[in-house]
Amino acid sequence: MKQVTIKDKTFSISISSDQIQKRIAEIAVQITKDLKDRNPIFISVLKGAFLFSADLLKKVDMDCEISFMRVSSYSGTQSTGNIKSLIGLSEDITGRTVVLLEDIVDTGETVVYLLNELKKNNPAEIKIASLLLKPKALKHDLKIDYVGFEVPNDFLVGYGLDYDGLGRNLEDIYKIVE
Ligand code: IMP
Ligand code: MG
């Protein structure tokens, strides 16, 4: 079994790069079908969603734009629930179809925070696409329109997800070994 060690923790492979790419291609087809002709603006939530956003956008087949926001809430292996906005949105999204791109929805605090921020600018609609969802950790009544994989409540690294800043560059997703 493929394993990696980051700092004091060991992780074993959970979702392979092939599985990730296959699922992203499926989501891209769905998004293209749903949003064709709406010229959506994708908003990638940094830092975690950078790889998901890049791979998804390459597969989406329509006119679209991309922008970025940066928030931070995690410290070590725990969500702090205390969200800080580090980079805000520079585009005018009034009347636009927005697709928020997240690496993972855990408690849902980050997405709720971002939805509230985005709604202040009166977009026509906001869709949410998250590569991963931890349904058992979700504390809010949120509809995630596009979900790559539902995962258990384990701490994950790789493919954008980090442990104290490390591991984002791994092409597979790994889960912590207890
Ligand atoms: P939420 O606000 O609790 O939904 O947390 C969302 C953010 O926490 C995500 O965008 C990730 O950056 C981070 N996060 C949640 N779960 C994990 C994990 O298992 N590994 C690494 N980062 C995570
Ligand atoms: Mg994130």
Side-chain angles (χ1 to χ4, degrees):
M1 167 91 66
K2 216 167 158 183
Q3 289 202 332
V4 292
T5 299
I6 301 174
K7 289 189 166 177
D8 55 331
K9 304 207 186 301
T10 303
F11 298 84
S12 64
I13 192 156
S14 174
I15 309 174
S16 73
S17 168
D18 283 354
Q19 288 174 286
I20 296 168
Q21 295 304 326
K22 190 165 163 269
R23 187 72 189 112
I24 289 176
E26 290 169 358
I27 294 172
V29 168
Q30 192 61 51
I31 290 180
T32 302
K33 205 171 126 213
D34 294 348
L35 305 181
K36 200 146 196 144
D37 305 319
R38 288 188 220 176
N39 184 20
I41 178 162
F42 290 91
I43 299 180
S44 174
V45 184
L46 298 174
K47 299 175 183 172
F50 80 111
L51 289 179
F52 173 50
S53 304
D55 286 336
L56 181 74
L57 268 278
K58 284 186 274 182
K59 296 251 160 23
V60 161
D61 182 20
M62 63 182 150
D63 284 345
C64 61
E65 294 170 41
I66 183 150
S67 190
F68 302 89
M69 289 175 84
R70 183 167 169 212
V71 291
S72 121
S73 71
Y74 247 60
S75 171
T77 60
Q78 289 296 314
S79 182
T80 64
N82 181 358
I83 295 147
K84 279 187 291 193
S85 174
L86 303 173
I87 300 178
L89 193 65
S90 45
E91 280 80 2
D92 180 11
I93 56 163
T94 311
R96 301 283 309 265
T97 292
V98 172
V99 186
L100 198 58
L101 300 178
E102 261 286 18
D103 51 354
I104 184 162
V105 176
D106 184 16
T107 62
E109 299 282 345
T110 306
V111 168
V112 166
Y113 172 86
L114 290 165
L115 285 176
N116 287 334
E117 289 299 303
L118 293 170
K119 279 178 190 161
K120 289 179 191 166
N121 300 294
N122 300 310
E125 57 181 341
I126 307 174
K127 306 276 183 195
I128 305 168
S130 184
L131 180 65
L132 303 166
L133 170 67
K134 290 181 179 170
K136 292 210 175 82
L138 198 57
K139 291 195 212 146
H140 296 268
D141 183 20
L142 270 178
K143 175 173 164 252
I144 312 296
D145 303 275
Y146 308 98
V147 176
F149 302 92
E150 291 197 353
V151 292
N153 267 358
D154 307 303
F155 183 71
L156 304 170
V157 289
Y159 197 73
L161 298 159
D162 72 303
Y163 170 45
D164 271 355
L166 300 175
R168 293 194 198 273
N169 56 317
L170 297 165
E171 66 177 351
D172 309 294
I173 293 171
Y174 294 78
K175 75 167 186 220
I176 199 158
V177 177
E178 296 306 332

